[in-house]
Amino acid sequence: MKKYVCVFCDDRKNVDSAYIINNGIGICRTCFEKLNKTSLSLPYKGEKDVSYIMSPFEYTSEIRNVILDFKFNNCRAYAPLMADMMKEYLDSYDIWDNFDCIIPVPLHKKRLRDRGYNQSELIAKYAAEYIGLKMRADILERVRATDKQSKLIRTERVLNVKNAFKCSEDISGMKILLFDDICTTGNTLAACASALKQAGAAKICALTFAIHAEQKLPFITY
């Protein structure tokens, strides 16, 4: 029987135990059932210029470990798998044709050069294909290198990303779906949305793979 590696428990398992498999890696049913999932079709209240935030998973230690591997251990193959994990949640919404494009949160050029890829852009590419949106990674630019948000206290995070992003073109009237891998305090999303708003965006909503749900308020209507 064919085998695959579960990215959550790192075990090599038979394919009949998998919830999802993609190119030899996957997530087993046991690990998937243990993940804290958010409510389908129930977004969270956004920050400032972000109307609301959608996210299928709560940011737990299990999710954190996989994202750290993805970002810092050159695990690019995780991107399609993580997008596949989002499909049930994405299917619960029927709003995707209301957006003009999906824009991933950019990395600064130095960090992009050091890492070799933008993890949010990789997931966004597959998510965009699934929901039928065009991905535009050329509109939003991180013009100022910032410290890692995870290393800062809450009050420092706002200043860290303030004025760190800029739009390269006029997007007047466009409805934007902003994508990032995780949402913790929402400050990065808010800073991106501020730049998009200044460039003329009519509406900005956000989609992330995971969210610190205990820090967010449900946004009942959309």
Side-chain angles (χ1 to χ4, degrees), residues 30-31 69 104 122:
T30 301
C31 286
D69 267 350
L122 292 183

Side-chain angles (χ1 to χ4, degrees), residues 10-100:
D10 290 327
D11 283 348
R12 189 170 180 80
K13 299 188 173 187
N14 293 331
V15 293
D16 60 0
S17 72
Y19 176 77
I20 294 172
I21 297 177
N22 197 309
N23 291 325
I25 61 172
I27 174 172
C28 67
R29 292 190 186 93
T30 301
C31 286
F32 188 78
E33 289 170 2
K34 289 179 181 178
L35 295 179
N36 292 340
K37 304 166 189 70
T38 65
S39 299
L40 300 177
S41 298
L42 184 61
Y44 292 89
K45 184 178 178 182
E47 301 285 341
K48 296 182 180 178
D49 295 314
V50 179
S51 296
Y52 52 85
I53 303 168
M54 296 166 284
S55 190
F57 301 103
E58 291 187 19
Y59 188 58
T60 59
S61 58
E62 293 84 4
I63 291 284
R64 179 178 183 274
N65 290 338
V66 168
I67 289 178
L68 288 177
D69 267 350
F70 179 33
K71 291 167 74 167
F72 302 117
N73 292 327
N74 199 27
C75 295
R76 305 183 196 204
Y78 284 18
L81 178 69
M82 293 171 76
D84 284 347
M85 289 173 62
M86 299 176 69
K87 285 182 176 179
E88 181 184 11
Y89 183 84
L90 297 175
D91 285 342
S92 74
Y93 288 88
D94 59 359
I95 59 173
W96 307 119
D97 57 357
N98 293 329
F99 295 100
D100 294 296

